[in-house]
Amino acid sequence: MDELDTIVTSGTGLRDLLESIDDLVCLATLEGRILYVNRAWREKLGYSKEEIGAVNSYQMIHPHHKEDIQKTNARMMAGEELLHVERTMVSKTGQQYEVEGSLSCRFKDGKPWYVRAIFRDITARKQVERMKDELISMASHELRNPLMAIRTSLQLLQEEMSPADPKGRPAQIVELGLRNSDRMLDLINAYLDLAKIEAGAAFAQKEVDVAAFIAHVVELIRPLGLRSGIEIREEHAARGARVSGDEDRLAQVLTNLVSNAMKFSKPGGAVTVRSEQKEGAVRVSVVDQGSGIPEEFRHKIFGKFAQAEGHRRGGSGLGLAISKTIIEKHGGRIAFDSETGKGTTFYFELPRRV
Ligand code: ADP
């Protein structure tokens, strides 16, 4: 073993590595006692090595995360491995930073031992995103009225046109114009809907019986499936389970997942909607045997206007972004498993109402 090997075995090289990176790294107990923070962390939050020992780690996180911290700690204690979180951090002088990263807990003798936190500063990115959202919202509002006027004009034109030649060229052109203005209106409405939810539109907080809710949504979509030769099945292992929330908004999510599943299924295929109980939560899954989601597209699927290359079937690319926001505002999470060529399962989990 030469000298270079010993810098790894002795740990000095690894500490050197941690001190040299720009990501913020911290080891702390679940109670917030800091065991180690790296240079980037100390510099960003304005503490010296000496000062940091006297700081509780939660003191550096904005108080509006209080409830979420309790939830993530509970999930870590229940053994969840790597949790992705976004946080606002507050420096010694009160400066705020937006960070994202992962938390994971190390256990000893079955008890939580210490937490590893690795964060990245995304303040600049968030600011650009906010500006972009504001711009699109403004443009959407401004575009909607003239677009509605164009659509009305086209409709009037269609009514005025001689019915003698409904398949003639002028009729086709008007039809094409109407179809495209409808698509554009759908897109603008979906975007404005998302902006409204993100801005904190209120949701109802009613009791929802999950199996009955699924049955109701499926009943409404089933005819659409039959038209394209796709059967929708239901499997309920969570009969009687209830969640709290806004049934119309949850129906919007489930409808989006089922219609995506149908869009990407082969004719004659089946889509299964399943409910099951998880610890403290109810999971609703939508399983298809369709084309699967291309590997390179998976990480951005919940992003706005995200549609896979060569994998579009109309739509706005906003459905999943809206679904994610709705589920997260209900205190739940949404995710998927997919195998190219074999199919995809999208699922969401909501806290079970007891
Ligand atoms: P869209 O309105 O385009 O369907 P979504 O946000 O609902 O918007 O979906 C975004 C994209 O994700 C789709 O265009 C498609 O490329 C991909 N996708 C969503 N669901 C599935 C699925 N079940 N199977 C395969 N690809 C899917």
Side-chain angles (χ1 to χ4, degrees), residues 8-297:
V8 177
T9 48
S10 70
T12 53
L14 297 181
R15 185 172 283 241
D16 184 37
L17 183 68
L18 286 173
E19 288 293 303
S20 70
I21 57 176
D22 286 335
D23 284 353
L24 317 182
V25 180
C26 174
L27 287 184
T29 65
L30 259 185
E31 293 74 38
R33 181 160 80 87
I34 291 178
L35 308 170
Y36 168 74
V37 297
N38 72 341
R39 177 200 49 83
W41 185 300
R42 293 191 305 270
E43 284 180 7
K44 180 125 314 201
L45 295 164
Y47 292 101
S48 69
K49 257 186 188 171
E50 292 68 36
E51 285 169 323
I52 201 83
V55 180
N56 184 292
S57 65
Y58 297 113
Q59 227 173 297
M60 293 183 276
I61 299 178
H62 197 285
H64 69 232
H65 291 301
K66 197 169 163 210
E67 217 174 287
D68 194 47
I69 289 172
Q70 281 167 355
K71 277 190 204 152
T72 29
N73 283 357
R75 281 169 62 192
M76 272 195 289
M77 285 203 289
E80 244 181 89
E81 295 241 306
L82 206 62
L83 296 177
H84 181 89
V85 293
E86 284 194 17
R87 297 274 184 257
T88 307
M89 302 200 72
V90 186
S91 80
K92 190 171 121 185
T93 56
Q95 172 93 13
Q96 296 190 1
Y97 296 100
E98 311 260 0
V99 300
E100 70 170 7
S102 63
L103 292 174
S104 58
C105 187
R106 173 73 80 185
F107 287 79
K108 192 181 182 193
D109 303 329
K111 290 202 191 98
W113 198 19
Y114 60 83
V115 177
R116 294 162 288 198
I118 305 178
F119 291 141
R120 172 162 297 176
D121 185 353
I122 53 163
T123 313
R125 196 183 85 199
K126 284 274 175 191
Q127 206 167 358
V128 172
E129 267 170 27
R130 269 195 290 271
M131 276 158 56
K132 194 182 74 186
D133 285 349
E134 273 167 26
L135 188 74
I136 304 179
S137 272
M138 200 180 71
S140 302
H141 276 292
E142 297 299 322
L143 288 173
R144 193 151 72 157
N145 289 340
L147 185 58
M148 301 260 268
I150 293 173
R151 195 176 173 283
T152 311
S153 308
L154 286 169
Q155 261 173 335
L156 289 174
L157 199 60
Q158 195 174 45
E159 282 164 26
E160 292 287 319
M161 270 178 359
S162 131
D165 191 9
K167 292 254 179 285
R169 185 119 178 94
Q172 279 180 9
I173 293 170
V174 172
E175 179 63 33
L176 186 69
L178 268 174
R179 254 204 329 264
N180 278 302
S181 50
D182 277 346
R183 269 202 69 184
M184 204 162 153
L185 260 180
D186 284 348
L187 202 91
I188 290 176
N189 287 337
Y191 188 82
L192 289 174
D193 190 33
L194 176 59
K196 197 167 87 185
I197 304 171
E198 281 181 341
F203 285 172
Q205 274 292 324
K206 294 226 173 91
E207 180 177 300
V208 180
D209 177 305
V210 176
F213 154 75
I214 294 176
H216 178 65
V217 173
V218 167
E219 189 186 295
L220 294 177
I221 313 181
R222 187 164 276 133
L224 276 181
L226 289 180
R227 217 181 299 156
S228 39
I230 292 161
E231 192 198 341
I232 308 179
R233 298 182 188 142
E234 281 178 65
E235 284 174 14
H236 295 295
R239 259 187 218 290
R242 291 158 307 146
V243 296
S244 296
D246 191 316
E247 190 155 346
D248 290 341
R249 286 298 188 181
L250 295 176
Q252 189 179 349
V253 174
L254 187 57
T255 305
N256 180 238
L257 297 185
V258 176
S259 57
N260 278 349
M262 293 193 310
K263 255 196 285 185
F264 296 99
S265 286
K266 299 168 200 93
V271 169
T272 308
V273 186
R274 190 177 289 153
S275 69
E276 59 201 306
Q277 308 234 22
K278 295 271 156 190
E279 207 170 314
V282 184
R283 180 184 287 201
V284 177
S285 312
V286 178
V287 187
D288 70 51
Q289 304 151 335
S291 49
I293 295 161
E295 190 99 38
E296 62 285 358
F297 178 62

Side-chain angles (χ1 to χ4, degrees), residues 190 252-253 256-257 260 301 303 305-306 316-324:
Q252 189 179 349
V253 174
N256 180 238
L257 297 185
N260 278 349
I301 195 156
F305 303 112
S316 62
L318 284 169
L320 287 174
I322 295 179
S323 300
K324 184 171 193 289

